[in-house]
């Protein structure tokens, strides 16, 4: 494709004048022309010659203003008709008017630089104008650029070539443009899809509220008065007339709007919108109310009808007396019937059909309205609410036209955000980057489960405004917003946290003795997660801890919970020895059990999930966990997905504990027998290979040695002293006392587990008695030796 | 050349545009006064203020309801009639104003010259 530019053509000169005749110049000319007109008319009475000359001058000044207003300002791209692009015809008049030459990429850029589309790319995509300064000023063959621009214009159904298409085509001429985009977390496809966003922004900039007061002053004179509706309900149609009608942002709901229109035009004049919170049920009703005002093809039977939203809470609480509420509701219904132009919208409609004790029984009244088909009504409910209502009232379910609204796909949500972000920007005086929109879609999809798309993404984006930096909402703002709301860590580690992650092993070893390999593999997994190199579609880490009782498997799980999630309480423990029957799968996925696995993880996805003694669970139960280990999701008994993608999953097992002891007794280190031990577990049929393969790491814990138990005593004493700090008491043990406790608290079968009980029955008992004795003084340090412990123990 | 293009536009497309604007103004005034709706609903009751009777009610009640409805229709008719008259007046004024502009339009570019001649003489 080639391009030509004839600067002497009529259109070229008109566009030049259009650019020259800027807003400021026109304003000055208008003011001067007006002043001269008044001055000239006044002067006419004293001196007709000068009066006529000055008046003539003012008229001459006014003529180009008329030309601009009625003609020049309406110039737009002309379609490309041949195989050559005519710059002055096919480009934006504001760009064409600034073109001098078209022989180099830089000369084209010079015409674009400073226009609002260029600023749009700079602000929303981070593509600074300085990048284009490296474009060559030498005469260059621009065929490829024009080809690209033409291709984009065809793809995006443009008339002529838009400035956005031209900017992207110039971008492709920059050396290393792909790297430039990658540095901004973009690719060329995303940039090309931005053309639609720019067109959308153009529409919003040019948007003027239209059809205000559609139908004229006599529109409602054939309908009745609605004083009660005006007082109790919210007139959506009136709000739209005052605020401006919705004409965009409803692309995804077009089919739904058609369904509503078709249902309310005739037949059963009712619709129930069924969709999760956030899918856009209310906005659809607003879109429908706009359509009633603006769509001239609608029949008179529904055109100009007013949509009244009735809020269940405010209606039901409008009086303490249920009889009065019913009386108000009856008045609303009668008014709506009599007015002949009211459509009632019951949002959150399940509340109207509740039959619980003390509820106002509006449901029956509504049912009779539906069955008599006397007023057009729209209901909105979530699928679960609809399921409950339809199960309890089949007659009602059969009488309603069901219109389902699905959650938007991510790509569609992004398009909706592009639209919404422009309004959010206007309201909050901020700029929202495209990258922030992408983050809002991804993060809301992953972390905001209680609201469906696109509502969750819009809410996240609105909340991110509070984290804007210098008026710019970026990916970081969105991440900070979700981190603050959900208590998660999304941004890659920085500053002191980096150092903490690098020293994670030291942190864990403050409460774990030995088990260096176990601590290292876990620490490595957490570092991978925090640096963003792990697979986001799987749990943060999945580990199988193998080893005898009392060697620190559970303690390490707690340490991870405390170190990574900030609190030991973020540990969800499932005793697998309680799930030994095939029917126990139902118990595992029962979402109603308050402290059950799925309810706990659903409430707090940022948890360590500990499947204790996994080998004791029934194979069916283990199979139900496999998908979660692979995909990071489990389905509850109602088939709802629960995400484990932010959880660390740990399974523990004592299986083969004796074998481990044998290896250790033979003087082998864990690394030397780990593989052989795993094969042994598979061969003996305890675990299937496909189960073991699902874990990121299998870690064998070895039994603790006596000297390590003494270190455990130190950790336990540190905990005791921490508890005593409020009493201003400190306790110290002699070395021999520590050794005595280690000997007494160790059990070949139970490992170090009895040690804690021994500390409790000796040290803690002694301290308790001392604190209660009359001669106790705060600030004392109590030193204990073997005889003290022996006397107590 | 620009001045030639200006005059070309002024005496061709520009003038036609003024005719188009005249029609648009007429249409918007008619829409503002809902002329179509007024004509279609000329004899409809005013704001649905109507009386209804049950089948078991006597002739008196039915006659009373009939009278009420006739009155409602009369009220509706007179209100609509006055608004229609107002609409006709405003549409006429709009046409006149636009016709004046339409006549002045071709004279406007040469008006300075005329004014100067008038001033000199």
């Amino acid at each position: 494709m080639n391009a030509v530019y004839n600067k002497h053509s009529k259109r070229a000169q008109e566009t030049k004048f259009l650019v020259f005749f800027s807003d400021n110049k026109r304003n000055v000319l208008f003011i001067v022309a007006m002043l001269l007109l008044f001055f000239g008319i006044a002067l006419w009475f004293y001196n007709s010659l000068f009066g006529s000359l000055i008046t003539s001058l003012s008229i001459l000044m006014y003529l180009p203003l008329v030309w601009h207003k009625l003609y020049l300002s309406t110039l737009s791209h002309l379609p490309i008709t041949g195989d050559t692009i005519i710059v002055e015809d096919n480009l934006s008049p504001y760009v064409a008017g600034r073109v001098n030459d078209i022989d180099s990429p830089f000369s084209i850029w010079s015409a674009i630089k400073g226009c609002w589309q260029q600023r749009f790319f700079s602000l929303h995509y981070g593509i600074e104008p300085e990048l284009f300064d490296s474009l060559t000023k030498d005469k260059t063959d621009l065929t490829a650029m024009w080809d690209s621009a033409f291709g984009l214009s065809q793809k995006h159904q443009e008339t002529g070539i838009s400035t956005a298409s031209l900017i992207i085509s110039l971008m492709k001429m920059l050396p290393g443009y792909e790297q430039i985009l990658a540095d901004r977390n973009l690719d060329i496809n995303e940039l090309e899809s931005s053309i639609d966003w720019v067109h959308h922004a153009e529409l919003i900039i040019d948007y003027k509220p239209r059809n205000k007061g559609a139908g004229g002053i006599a529109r409602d004179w054939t309908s009745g008065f609605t004083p009660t509706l005006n007082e109790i309900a919210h007139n959506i149609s009136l709000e739209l007339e005052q605020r401006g009608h919705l004409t965009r942002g409803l692309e995804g709901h077009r089919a739904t709007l058609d369904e509503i229109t078709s249902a309310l035009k005739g037949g059963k004049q009712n619709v129930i919108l069924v969709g999760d919170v956030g899918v856009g049920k209310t906005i659809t009703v607003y879109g429908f109310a706009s359509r009633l005002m603006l769509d001239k093809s609608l029949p008179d039977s529904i055109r100009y009808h007013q949509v009244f939203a009735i809020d269940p809470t405010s209606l039901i609480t409008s009086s303490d007396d249920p009889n009065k509420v019913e009386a108000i509701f009856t008045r609303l219904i009668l008014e709506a019937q009599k007015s002949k132009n009211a459509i009632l919208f019951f949002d959150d409609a399940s509340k109207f059909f509740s039959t619980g004790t003390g509820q106002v029984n509006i449901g029956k009244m509504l049912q009779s309205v539906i069955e008599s088909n006397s007023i057009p009504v729209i209901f909105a409910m979530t699928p679960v609410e609809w399921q409950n209502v339809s199960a309890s009232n089949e007659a009602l379910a059969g009488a309603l036209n069901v219109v389902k609204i699905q959650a938007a796909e991510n790509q569609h949500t992004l398009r909706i955000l592009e639209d919404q972000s422009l309004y959010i920007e206007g309201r909050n005086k901020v700029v929202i980057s495209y990258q922030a929109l992408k983050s809002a879609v991804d993060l809301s999809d992953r972390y905001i489960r209680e609201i469906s798309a696109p509502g969750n993404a819009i809410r996240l984006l609105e909340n991110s405004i509070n984290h804007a930096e210098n008026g710019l909402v970026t990916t970081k703002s969105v991440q900070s917003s979700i981190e603050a709301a959900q208590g998660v860590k999304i941004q890659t580690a920085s500053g002191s946290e980096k150092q903490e992650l690098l020293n994670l092993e030291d942190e864990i070893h403050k409460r774990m003795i030995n088990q260096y390999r176990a601590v290292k593999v876990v620490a490595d997994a957490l570092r991978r997660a925090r640096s963003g190199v792990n697979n986001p579609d799987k749990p943060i880490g999945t580990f199988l801890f193998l080893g005898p009782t009392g060697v620190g498997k559970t303690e390490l799980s707690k340490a991870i919970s405390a170190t990574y999630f900030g609190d030991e309480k973020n540990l969800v423990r499932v005793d697998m020895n309680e799930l030994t029957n095939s029917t126990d799968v139902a118990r595992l996925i029962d979402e109603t059990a308050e402290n059950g696995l799925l309810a706990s993880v659903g409430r707090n996805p940022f948890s360590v999930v500990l499947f204790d003694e996994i080998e004791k669970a029934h194979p069916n139960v283990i199979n139900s966990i496999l998908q979660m280990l692979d995909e990071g999701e489990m389905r509850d008994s109602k088939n709802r997905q629960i995400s484990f993608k932010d959880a660390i999953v740990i399974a523990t097992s004592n299986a083969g504990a004796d074998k481990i002891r044998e290896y250790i007794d033979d003087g082998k280190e864990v690394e030397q027998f780990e593989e052989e031990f795993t094969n042994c577990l598979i061969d003996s049929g305890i675990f299937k290979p496909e189960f073991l393969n699902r874990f990121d790491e299998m870690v064998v814990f070895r039994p603790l040695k006596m000297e390590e138990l003494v270190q455990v005593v130190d950790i336990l004493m540190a905990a005791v002293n921490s508890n005593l700090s409020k009493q201003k008491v400190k306790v110290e043990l002699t070395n021999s006392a520590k050794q005595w406790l280690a000997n007494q608290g160790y059990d070949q079968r139970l490992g170090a587990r009895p040690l804690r009980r021994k500390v409790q029955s000796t040290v803690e008992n002694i301290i308790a008695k001392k604190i209660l004795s009359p001669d106790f003084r705060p600030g004392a340090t109590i030193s204990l030796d073997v005889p003290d412990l022996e006397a107590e123990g | 050349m620009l001045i030639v293009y200006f005059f070309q536009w002024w005496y061709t497309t520009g003038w036609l545009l003024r005719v188009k604007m005249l029609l648009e103004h007429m249409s918007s005034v008619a829409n503002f006064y809902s002329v179509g709706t007024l004509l279609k609903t000329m004899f409809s009751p005013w704001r649905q203020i109507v009386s209804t009777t049950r089948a078991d009610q006597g002739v008196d009640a039915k006659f009373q309801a009939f009278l009420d409805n006739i009155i409602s229709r009369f009220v509706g008719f007179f209100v609509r009639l006055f608004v229609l008259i107002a609409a006709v007046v405003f549409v006429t004024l709009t046409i006149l104003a636009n016709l004046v502009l339409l006549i002045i339009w071709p004279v406007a570019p040469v008006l300075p010259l005329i004014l100067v001649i008038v001033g000199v003489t």
Side-chain angles (χ1 to χ4, degrees):
Chain A
M1 200 92 185
N2 281 320
V4 292
Y5 176 60
N6 177 5
K7 60 180 157 190
H8 301 296
S9 71
K10 175 175 177 276
R11 173 96 173 180
Q13 291 195 36
E14 285 172 348
T15 55
K16 286 266 180 224
F17 183 66
L18 174 71
V19 172
F20 166 78
F21 206 30
S22 62
D23 285 353
N24 288 341
K25 285 174 185 157
R26 290 201 309 278
N27 290 339
V28 169
L29 192 67
F30 178 76
I31 292 166
V32 173
M34 285 295 112
L35 287 174
L36 286 179
L37 181 67
F38 288 120
F39 185 59
I41 291 170
L43 200 62
W44 202 290
F45 295 103
Y46 299 100
N47 185 321
S48 60
L49 178 60
F50 282 112
S52 65
L53 278 173
I54 289 173
T55 309
S56 307
L57 194 60
S58 77
I59 292 169
L60 283 175
M61 285 178 165
Y62 194 65
L63 293 178
L65 290 170
V66 175
W67 192 33
H68 179 273
K69 185 173 171 139
L70 297 184
Y71 173 63
L72 294 177
S73 67
T74 64
L75 289 177
S76 60
H77 311 75
L78 296 176
I80 300 165
T81 48
D83 53 2
T84 302
I85 294 166
I86 301 165
V87 169
E88 62 271 27
D89 286 353
N90 306 137
L91 266 54
S92 155
Y94 289 93
V95 172
R98 297 173 62 181
V99 167
N100 288 319
D101 290 305
I102 55 162
D103 52 2
S104 72
F106 192 82
S107 61
I108 306 287
W109 169 246
S110 301
I112 293 169
K113 194 175 179 180
C115 70
W116 79 262
Q117 289 92 341
Q118 177 261 300
R119 292 199 302 275
F120 185 92
F121 276 99
S122 173
L123 290 168
H124 291 90
Y125 289 84
I127 298 170
E128 305 88 351
E130 293 74 29
L131 286 169
F132 293 87
D133 290 344
S134 62
L135 285 169
T136 180
K137 295 174 184 170
D138 299 333
K139 281 191 176 179
T140 314
D141 179 14
L142 293 175
T143 309
M145 192 210 76
W146 292 118
D147 278 345
S148 165
F150 179 69
L152 288 172
S153 72
Q154 295 292 298
K155 189 175 166 188
H156 294 274
Q157 298 171 334
E158 294 172 348
T159 307
I161 292 175
S162 75
T163 310
S165 295
L166 211 52
I167 291 172
I168 293 168
S169 304
L170 276 173
M171 180 89 206
K172 289 183 189 170
M173 299 208 73
L174 287 173
Y177 76 90
E178 283 171 324
Q179 187 56 49
I180 293 170
L181 293 177
D183 291 343
R184 287 154 182 78
N185 191 21
L186 294 167
D187 61 43
I188 193 65
N189 292 328
E190 287 175 322
L191 200 63
E192 288 182 1
S193 71
S194 71
I195 293 172
D196 290 330
W197 193 18
V198 177
H199 291 335
H200 211 78
E202 276 169 351
L203 282 174
I204 288 175
I205 289 168
D206 293 341
Y207 177 71
K208 290 174 189 72
R210 61 194 180 92
N211 288 305
K212 207 171 181 180
I217 56 172
R219 184 187 74 196
D220 300 328
W221 288 356
T222 46
S223 56
F225 291 108
T226 53
T228 316
L229 271 171
N230 294 344
E231 188 189 331
I232 303 284
H234 172 66
N235 189 335
I236 293 174
S237 309
L238 186 66
E239 181 197 338
L240 288 168
E241 280 205 294
Q242 289 167 350
R243 209 188 60 185
H245 285 286
L246 294 178
T247 50
R248 292 178 301 278
L250 290 162
E251 287 81 2
H253 297 300
R254 196 75 57 204
T256 311
L257 283 172
D258 289 343
E259 279 188 72
I260 299 173
T261 311
S262 151
L264 295 186
K265 267 199 295 197
K268 290 192 286 185
Q269 287 196 73
N270 64 63
V271 166
I272 177 155
L273 303 174
V274 179
D276 285 314
V277 177
V279 295
K281 298 188 289 294
T282 309
I283 195 81
T284 305
V285 175
Y286 271 71
F288 175 65
S290 279
R291 184 181 271 199
L292 291 176
M293 294 293 150
L294 306 179
D295 189 348
K296 290 178 181 168
S297 67
L298 288 177
D300 286 346
S301 58
I302 56 167
R303 186 144 196 238
Y304 299 136
H305 272 37
Q306 305 281 299
V307 181
F308 289 91
I310 299 176
D311 174 45
T313 313
S314 59
L315 177 67
I316 292 168
T317 57
S318 61
S319 173
D320 292 337
D321 182 358
N323 292 328
K324 279 188 183 168
V325 176
E326 286 186 14
I328 292 171
F329 191 73
T330 308
R331 265 211 324 272
L332 288 180
I333 297 294
L334 286 174
E335 254 178 34
Q337 276 174 345
K338 216 174 167 190
S339 76
K340 297 203 185 298
N341 78 334
I343 296 174
L344 302 185
F345 169 48
F346 298 92
D347 204 355
D348 209 0
S350 68
K351 287 204 175 101
F352 290 106
F353 294 103
S354 301
T355 52
T357 316
Q359 295 285 342
V360 180
N361 197 357
I362 288 172
K364 276 192 178 170
M365 297 164 77
L366 266 179
Q367 189 162 348
S368 68
V369 168
I370 293 161
E371 283 165 358
S372 65
N373 207 18
S374 53
I375 317 169
V377 282
I378 303 172
F379 298 101
M381 283 189 207
T382 66
V384 175
E385 289 167 347
W386 170 236
Q387 201 176 14
N388 293 338
V389 169
S390 55
S392 64
N393 192 337
E394 285 180 19
L396 175 72
L400 290 168
N401 292 305
V402 181
V403 175
K404 288 188 177 165
I405 304 181
Q406 305 290 345
E409 299 289 325
N410 278 3
Q411 203 55 35
H412 183 218
T413 303
L414 185 59
R415 296 284 91 81
I416 293 169
L417 280 197
E418 286 176 356
D419 180 48
Q420 290 297 313
S421 67
L422 297 169
Y423 297 104
I424 297 172
E425 284 182 349
R427 277 200 303 271
N428 296 284
K429 310 284 177 234
V430 291
V431 172
I432 304 173
S433 73
Y434 174 79
Q435 291 86 337
L437 302 187
K438 277 202 300 182
S439 290
V441 173
D442 292 342
L443 295 177
S444 60
D445 183 42
R446 180 158 180 174
Y447 295 107
I448 305 178
R449 291 298 180 109
E450 65 276 16
I451 308 174
S452 290
N456 55 359
I458 294 169
R459 178 179 289 189
L460 175 57
L461 199 61
E462 284 176 337
N463 291 341
S464 304
I465 304 295
N466 300 324
H467 300 270
E469 287 176 3
N470 301 321
L472 184 62
V473 178
T474 59
T475 302
K476 198 177 162 196
S477 314
V478 179
Q479 288 174 336
S480 301
S481 173
I482 201 103
E483 283 185 346
Q486 305 281 334
V488 296
K489 293 175 179 178
I490 293 163
Q491 297 174 67
T492 49
S494 60
S496 62
E497 199 200 347
K498 264 186 186 171
Q499 208 54 43
E500 281 172 20
L501 279 167
L502 288 172
N503 300 323
L504 201 55
E505 284 93 335
D506 294 342
E507 199 58 38
I508 294 175
H509 275 305
K510 283 181 186 169
R511 49 190 296 170
M512 280 287 300
I513 299 301
N514 203 302
Q515 313 301 2
Y516 290 102
R517 182 171 142 63
V519 171
K520 184 177 182 307
V521 295
V522 169
D524 283 343
L526 300 187
R527 277 191 286 263
R528 285 197 298 271
R530 292 296 293 121
S531 55
V533 295
N534 67 327
N535 182 348
D537 293 326
K538 291 182 75 175
I540 293 170
T542 53
F543 307 105
L544 177 60
F545 290 173
L546 299 162
T549 301
V551 294
K553 299 191 294 291
T554 307
E555 190 58 32
L556 179 54
S557 307
K558 287 182 186 172
I560 295 166
S561 177
T563 314
Y564 194 76
F565 295 123
D567 197 326
E568 264 187 32
K569 288 175 186 165
N570 290 329
L571 185 127
V572 181
R573 184 175 179 152
V574 185
D575 282 326
M576 301 300 269
N577 60 9
E578 292 177 2
L579 305 171
T580 53
N581 297 318
S582 61
T583 53
D584 286 335
V585 174
R587 283 176 60 202
L588 184 72
I589 62 169
D590 180 11
E591 80 292 343
T592 58
E594 196 183 339
N595 292 318
L597 170 68
L598 298 189
S600 301
V601 176
R603 273 197 309 271
N604 183 9
F606 314 99
S607 304
V608 171
V609 178
L610 181 66
F611 294 109
D612 222 359
E613 299 190 80
I614 188 110
E615 79 280 6
K616 291 181 181 162
H618 190 275
N620 288 1
V621 175
I622 291 181
N623 285 340
S624 66
I625 296 172
L626 292 183
Q627 188 203 357
M628 180 268 284
L629 293 174
D630 255 354
E631 297 168 11
E633 285 175 342
M634 264 180 104
R635 288 185 179 275
D636 66 15
S637 51
K638 286 184 178 162
N639 208 29
R640 287 179 307 200
Q641 275 190 344
I642 307 291
S643 172
F644 282 70
K645 290 172 185 171
D646 297 292
I648 296 169
V649 181
I650 297 170
T652 70
S653 171
N654 300 333
D658 293 335
K659 191 80 182 165
I660 293 172
R661 276 195 204 94
E662 276 176 30
Y663 286 123
I664 297 293
D665 291 344
D666 290 346
K668 289 183 178 172
E669 288 299 319
V670 170
E671 290 82 357
Q672 292 172 298
F673 65 81
E674 207 166 37
E675 194 178 337
E676 189 186 332
F677 177 67
T678 309
N679 289 335
C680 199
L681 291 175
I682 295 169
D683 293 343
S684 58
I686 297 173
F687 293 124
K688 289 180 180 170
E690 63 266 29
F691 175 67
L692 295 182
N693 285 338
R694 293 297 207 288
F695 290 97
D696 295 340
E697 294 280 356
M698 280 177 287
V699 187
V700 176
F701 284 60
R702 65 168 184 73
L704 294 174
K705 296 173 188 167
M706 188 52 73
E707 61 270 25
E708 290 162 352
L709 284 173
V710 174
Q711 292 174 41
V712 176
V713 173
D714 283 334
I715 290 174
L716 292 173
M717 288 313 298
V720 170
N721 275 319
S722 165
N723 292 339
L724 288 172
S725 61
K726 282 182 193 163
Q727 315 283 341
K728 308 286 183 213
V729 184
K730 195 177 173 192
V731 61
E732 286 178 356
L733 294 183
T734 61
N735 285 340
S736 51
K738 289 178 190 172
Q739 190 66 48
W740 184 86
L741 275 172
N743 285 330
Q744 294 292 311
Y746 182 69
D747 183 294
Q748 178 93 18
R749 221 165 18 86
L750 299 174
R753 196 157 288 171
L755 194 54
R756 192 184 298 276
R757 285 197 293 274
K758 197 69 191 171
V759 169
Q760 203 172 31
S761 65
T762 56
V763 178
E764 289 183 14
N765 281 352
I766 294 168
I767 303 298
K769 286 172 188 168
K770 285 200 184 284
I771 288 174
L772 293 172
S773 70
D775 52 349
F776 169 72
R777 294 282 176 276
T781 298
I782 300 163
S783 192
L784 300 176
D785 203 350
V786 176
D788 302 315
L789 302 177
E790 279 179 336
E792 189 64 33
Chain B
M1 284 302 284
L2 205 58
I3 198 155
V4 176
Y5 301 142
F6 166 75
F7 279 109
Q8 266 181 2
W9 174 82
W10 191 271
Y11 288 105
T12 54
T13 323
W15 207 0
L16 287 174
L17 193 66
R18 281 254 46 114
V19 177
K20 199 177 152 199
M21 284 167 76
L22 162 70
L23 298 174
E24 279 173 1
H25 283 164
M26 274 171 59
S27 167
S28 68
V29 171
N31 282 338
F32 176 78
Y33 286 98
S34 326
V35 171
T37 309
L38 288 172
L39 291 171
K40 268 194 276 182
T41 61
M42 200 70 196
F43 299 101
S44 298
W46 175 246
R47 302 298 311 241
Q48 291 297 327
I49 300 172
V50 287
S51 296
T52 51
T53 53
R54 294 189 309 274
D56 58 348
Q57 284 184 297
V59 178
D60 284 358
K62 286 183 176 166
F63 183 70
Q64 185 60 49
F66 173 75
L67 273 183
D68 289 348
N69 293 343
I70 287 287
I71 291 167
S72 180
R73 285 175 193 275
F74 262 107
V75 171
F77 170 75
F78 280 112
V79 174
R80 289 183 182 98
L81 185 67
F82 281 118
V83 174
L84 260 181
I85 291 166
V88 170
V89 170
F90 275 95
V91 167
T92 311
L93 289 176
T94 306
I95 292 170
L96 284 175
N98 276 279
L99 276 176
V100 170
L101 282 173
L102 208 58
I103 292 161
I104 289 176
W105 185 267
V107 186
V110 290
L111 197 60
L113 190 66
I114 296 168
L115 286 176
V116 171
I117 293 165
V118 171
V120 171
T121 55

